Amino acid sequence: MKINYPDGRIFNSPSKPSSKISTNTTAKKKLIFGDRGMTLEEEINESNKYYRSHEVAVIYKKPTPIQIVKVDYPKRSRAVIKEAYFRQASTTDYNGVYHGYYVDFEAKETKNKNTFPLKNFHQHQIDHLRMCQKQGGICFVIIKYVTLKRYFVMPADNLFQHWDAQKHEGAKSIQLQDIVDCSIEIKANYDPTLPYIDAVQQLIESGKEKQ
């Protein structure tokens, strides 16, 4: 299916890996990934299912609005979308409610070991987080260092500081040590896969202490 951005640029989805994978390669993947080889998005989605089923929190990944342009009907009972456009720039990845608090956050991952590029974020995402936080929302970003297998929940305020600094000749990336110093590190688990709600609770408690 062909999908375009609002300005007409063609959206190129990541190419799918070949299905012809040797047994040895599969075994190596199982050994390398303690998180069962999941992407950060998959880990968060699995965690959200756990939180909903156990009535801990109700958090979902936001759907991406798409304008369908061309549809083919190879069979009467089946339609195939051939071309579509993203209606508008997306805001953040996830939102929902936890113990009466509105939660809104972005999820990012990098294969870098020492830095996290700020180019992974967009101005409209930063603006959205700022607006939500002004209304009392709990806002943050979950960062995954794929190679290091480390996960961090960074409060939105700290992200804003780095984002604003780069506009005034500041660094274009965040050093790992800076993330360690200002974030809450979480560990991959089984149920839930990624227990980030524990970090959300810490953010709520730290916010109460500042009041």
Side-chain angles (χ1 to χ4, degrees):
M1 177 181 72
K2 179 182 177 184
I3 300 180
N4 298 327
Y5 288 102
D7 60 4
R9 289 181 296 117
I10 297 175
F11 169 71
N12 294 314
S13 59
S15 58
K16 294 183 179 180
S18 172
S19 58
K20 296 180 180 179
I21 302 175
S22 66
T23 305
N24 290 336
T25 303
T26 305
K28 286 181 180 179
K29 282 191 175 182
K30 289 181 179 178
L31 289 173
I32 292 172
F33 293 100
D35 54 15
R36 293 177 283 169
M38 293 189 201
T39 63
L40 178 57
E41 180 180 315
E42 290 170 334
E43 291 170 303
I44 294 174
N45 290 345
E46 284 297 313
S47 301
N48 287 343
K49 288 179 184 178
Y50 174 88
Y51 288 137
R52 291 195 300 270
S53 65
H54 287 75
E55 299 184 348
V56 174
V58 180
I59 298 174
Y60 287 94
K61 180 171 174 58
K62 298 177 186 177
T64 303
I66 292 178
Q67 176 67 51
I68 298 174
V69 176
K70 183 179 180 181
V71 180
D72 283 353
Y73 297 88
K75 295 181 180 180
R76 290 185 178 181
S77 60
R78 187 177 181 182
V80 178
I81 300 174
K82 291 294 185 179
E83 185 177 354
Y85 287 84
F86 290 119
R87 283 184 179 176
Q88 58 191 33
S90 60
T91 52
T92 47
D93 291 326
Y94 295 89
N95 70 339
V97 181
Y98 166 68
H99 285 194
Y101 290 91
Y102 174 74
V103 176
D104 199 297
F105 65 97
E106 181 69 12
K108 301 288 186 184
E109 56 187 339
T110 180
K111 292 182 179 178
N112 293 356
K113 293 182 179 180
N114 298 312
T115 60
F116 186 83
L118 285 166
K119 67 180 181 180
N120 286 329
F121 295 97
H122 302 284
Q123 185 63 56
H124 64 269
Q125 294 174 326
I126 301 296
D127 294 340
H128 174 78
L129 287 171
R130 278 194 165 117
M131 288 189 292
C132 290
Q133 187 158 285
K134 283 182 179 179
Q135 296 300 319
I138 308 301
C139 302
F140 55 92
V141 55
I142 297 181
I143 297 175
K144 176 182 180 179
Y145 279 86
V146 178
T147 305
L148 302 177
K149 297 180 183 177
R150 298 182 72 178
Y151 305 79
F152 299 93
V153 173
M154 174 187 279
D157 279 336
N158 297 100
L159 172 61
F160 300 156
Q161 290 173 10
H162 290 284
W163 182 263
D164 294 340
Q166 71 163 342
K167 293 183 177 180
H168 300 88
E169 300 184 357
K172 302 298 182 184
S173 60
I174 310 174
Q175 295 297 316
L176 172 60
Q177 189 57 54
D178 290 335
I179 292 177
V180 171
D181 292 342
C182 72
S183 305
I184 301 169
E185 185 165 5
I186 55 179
K187 305 288 185 181
N189 204 339
Y190 181 70
D191 273 334
T193 308
L194 199 62
Y196 71 90
I197 285 294
D198 294 344
V200 172
Q201 182 61 39
Q202 290 184 52
L203 294 177
I204 292 172
E205 292 172 358
S206 64
K208 288 179 179 179
E209 292 175 359
K210 293 178 182 178
Q211 292 178 353

